[in-house]
Amino acid sequence: MPILRTSPASPFGRKVRIAAAVAGLSDLIRIEAADTNDASDLLRQQNPLGKIPTLLLDDGEPLYDSRVIVEYLNETAATPVLVPPGPGRLAVLRHQALADGLLDACILQVYEGRYRPPELRGEQWLAHQRGKMERALAHLARHHAVPGAGVPHIGEIAQACALGYLDLRFAGAWRTEHPALVAWLEDFAARVPAYAQTAPTA
């Protein structure tokens, strides 16, 4: 049984867990906690970058990062619902890339505050990341805020995880500026039980 090394608060790990549920593969993957700050955690041997999520296949071969794991899930599923084939494939992958980029900008801001003393924090760097975040949210609100139907693809899953991370680490400040995305996320959560099931608590 493949093993997913992740942590409850990881938005990329959450993306993979929701993707596995949507693809009907949750029961075929075991979740195992990983501590990226622990040098003794085997994660650093399993993934040279020491990052999560990392998926260990039955033969021990690791897959990383989340986008590669999603491709594996898509190929393993009975039907490739996460990244549908055909002319819409690139649009779905681009949607995922935008949501993942939003997450990257958010995480860099969190890490700046978590790991760097206040007197050494780069305000220009933080403003640069906030700009990415604001532009990405505005684009998602314009182009990806229509409630979906049926099985969500990976772009939608990544978008939901990014908004969930903003709720977790940025106190939901995005909600005032983007009511259409709020409505979209509520619809997504109602359609996809795994969203609530994977919600981090801290």
Side-chain angles (χ1 to χ4, degrees):
M1 176 180 287
I3 298 171
L4 181 66
R5 303 296 316 280
T6 187
S7 73
S10 167
F12 291 110
R14 187 183 191 188
K15 182 180 80 169
V16 169
R17 293 175 65 193
I18 295 174
V22 167
L25 300 172
S26 290
D27 293 341
L28 303 179
I29 296 174
R30 187 167 86 242
I31 308 297
E32 186 177 293
D35 185 348
T36 58
N37 293 315
D38 184 357
S40 66
D41 192 307
L42 289 176
L43 178 69
R44 298 185 185 189
Q45 299 174 37
Q46 296 157 346
N47 178 346
L49 300 173
K51 295 177 70 174
I52 53 175
T54 293
L55 183 70
L56 305 176
L57 301 182
D58 290 337
D59 61 1
E61 186 74 13
L63 294 181
Y64 46 83
D65 61 4
S66 67
R67 280 176 276 198
V68 175
I69 297 172
V70 165
E71 289 286 357
Y72 166 80
L73 296 175
N74 199 53
E75 292 179 2
T76 304
T79 305
V81 293
L82 299 171
V83 187
R89 174 179 171 82
L90 288 179
V92 169
L93 292 175
R94 181 179 62 194
H95 189 175
Q96 176 185 210
L98 178 62
D100 284 356
L102 168 58
L103 270 174
D104 286 336
C106 294
I107 289 170
L108 286 172
Q109 292 176 70
V110 170
Y111 284 179
E112 186 80 3
R114 182 179 296 171
Y115 296 113
R116 199 182 296 273
E119 65 275 13
L120 297 179
R121 289 174 194 162
E123 289 306 319
Q124 186 175 359
W125 169 252
L126 287 169
H128 184 58
Q129 301 308 322
R130 284 194 295 269
K132 294 181 185 179
M133 183 174 73
E134 291 163 4
R135 292 191 302 274
L137 282 169
H139 185 92
L140 291 173
R142 284 195 305 271
H143 300 285
H144 299 288
V146 177
V151 179
H153 57 63
I154 195 57
E156 296 171 294
I157 294 168
Q159 177 171 310
C161 291
L163 297 177
Y165 188 76
L166 282 165
D167 280 339
L168 177 69
R169 298 297 187 214
F170 292 80
W174 64 277
R175 290 174 170 267
T176 302
E177 295 292 325
H178 303 289
L181 284 177
V182 173
W184 179 90
L185 185 59
E186 290 173 352
D187 175 79
F188 180 92
R191 291 191 296 120
V192 184
Y195 184 75
Q197 294 163 2
T198 58
T201 56

